[in-house]
Amino acid sequence: MEKCKIIAVANQKGGTGKTTTACNLGSALANAGRKVLLVDFDPQANLSMNCGIERPDELVMPINDIIPLVIAGKPLPDKTEYVIRGEKLDIIPCNMNLTATEINLQTEVIGLYALSELLEPLRSDYDYIICDTNPYLGLLTKNALAACDEVIIPVSPQFWSATGLTDLLETIAKTKRKINPRITVAGILFTICDKRTRLFRDVESLVSESYGEKIRIYNTYIPNTVKVGEANYLSRSILEFDPKNKAALAYEAFAREVLGDD
Ligand SMILES: Nc1ncnc2c1ncn2[C@@H]1O[C@H](COP(=O)(O)OP(=O)(O)OP(=O)(O)O)[C@@H](O)[C@H]1O
Ligand SMILES: [Mg+2]
């Protein structure tokens, strides 16, 4: 049996397609027959909403209620109570109260490892656990980095930030030295791309020149299409909403790269 991989989707720059990538990569991997768990670790709860949870504030047991139990070393409820099972894939959702949990993490020694403690026992149930992160290099994202095997970094030319990427890579390197020796950068994924634009070409060559030798840059580029926004609005992945759409096909191709089928 294939070993479970925990993937964090991270970039502290906002709006680079992290959540869309977590949702659609998860969906494409599930379509390819893999067992997938999505984890929403961003208080904006966009991933939870994209996965059909319309009112995250009404969740009975979001991840923000489980993490304090992990921190306190208390017994956790049965996983069926906090893992929401979907037809294709499962999700541990959150809501905006995760912000308060982040403050909690700061005061505890276990603060950096809480998500890792929660996810490790779930490895045996899944092929992939994909964790969405928030646009801030704080303790929530650091928890995801401490818990994961690999990081996928979505980069969108419109929201390009050289300092942002440098800070993220430094944090990953520090995490590897001090906290999680397993962690590697799986690669950079270009998202929300208009390939014909000058901006795209400029950012693409800058990223390949600056990072291409050390970091894999995925061959797949996720195109910019209004259908992604429509799918998100309707709480669905683009793969479900419009499977023939160019972004859906791109996420499928990306999933094949992740699976190493290319
Ligand atoms: N391929 C795409 N084409 C067009 N719009 C897209 C595409 N991917 C994402 N978007 C839109 O861009 C916005 C940002 O995407 P998304 O929420 O995935 O980014 P994010 O990095 O998770 O943002 P945040 O940093 O706020 O968490 C959303 O409105 C989403 O619908
Ligand atoms: Mg997001």
Side-chain angles (χ1 to χ4, degrees):
M1 204 189 80
E2 201 182 339
K3 212 169 146 262
C4 173
K5 208 176 257 182
I6 301 182
I7 298 175
V9 182
N11 186 342
Q12 79 276 30
K13 185 81 189 158
T16 61
K18 293 180 285 298
T19 304
T20 304
T21 297
C23 172
N24 287 287
L25 173 62
S27 192
L29 290 172
N31 285 348
R34 301 308 190 274
K35 282 195 265 170
V36 178
L37 172 68
L38 298 178
V39 178
D40 194 351
F41 219 49
D42 175 0
Q44 296 180 93
N46 291 146
L47 183 63
S48 305
M49 290 188 277
N50 286 5
C51 291
I53 296 164
E54 282 170 25
R55 301 287 310 267
D57 50 326
E58 290 175 1
L59 283 164
V60 177
M61 208 170 282
I63 198 166
N64 28 289
D65 289 349
I66 305 298
I67 292 290
L69 300 177
V70 176
I71 293 174
K74 292 199 175 137
L76 302 187
D78 191 81
K79 61 191 169 193
T80 52
E81 293 190 40
Y82 56 88
V83 177
I84 296 187
R85 296 195 139 247
E87 268 173 42
K88 278 199 326 191
L89 43 70
D90 298 347
I91 178 167
I92 305 184
C94 75
N95 61 32
M96 60 180 280
N97 296 328
L98 186 58
T99 307
T101 308
E102 183 171 20
I103 297 166
N104 214 343
L105 291 169
Q106 276 166 16
T107 55
E108 302 291 338
V109 180
I110 187 202
L112 269 172
Y113 300 94
L115 184 62
S116 177
E117 279 218 8
L118 178 65
L119 298 185
E120 276 304 315
L122 298 175
R123 277 189 193 263
S124 52
D125 297 342
Y126 297 98
D127 298 313
Y128 288 91
I129 298 178
I130 303 174
C131 184
D132 190 25
T133 63
N134 63 336
Y136 171 57
L137 266 179
L139 266 175
L140 292 175
T141 300
K142 286 178 180 168
N143 255 264
L145 298 181
C148 74
D149 303 305
E150 292 184 356
V151 190
I152 289 174
I153 307 175
V155 164
S156 162
Q158 288 108 304
F159 300 106
W160 167 243
S161 161
T163 48
L165 192 50
T166 307
D167 288 351
L168 175 62
L169 293 172
E170 278 174 7
T171 304
I172 293 171
K174 214 182 284 173
T175 304
K176 193 176 185 68
R177 281 201 311 275
K178 305 270 184 204
I179 296 155
N180 172 9
R182 279 191 321 272
I183 194 171
T184 57
V185 177
I188 291 174
L189 172 70
F190 279 103
T191 58
I192 325 177
C193 296
D194 282 314
K195 268 186 140 175
R196 292 157 307 174
T197 61
R198 172 84 194 264
L199 175 68
F200 172 79
R201 287 195 297 273
D202 285 355
V203 174
E204 186 198 31
S205 39
L206 194 76
V207 171
S208 353
E209 277 163 29
S210 312
Y211 303 101
E213 276 185 19
K214 287 197 192 130
I215 299 176
R216 174 181 187 179
I217 298 171
Y218 290 104
N219 292 326
T220 309
Y221 294 78
I222 310 299
N224 184 351
T225 147
V226 288
K227 291 277 183 180
V228 171
E230 287 174 33
N232 285 349
Y233 178 71
L234 295 170
S235 297
R236 292 165 75 187
S237 68
I238 184 72
L239 271 92
E240 284 171 315
F241 176 64
D242 187 2
K244 297 270 178 286
N245 179 271
K246 55 186 179 177
L249 299 175
Y251 273 113
E252 275 176 349
F254 172 53
R256 285 195 294 276
E257 284 196 78
V258 170
L259 286 166
D261 287 355
D262 268 8

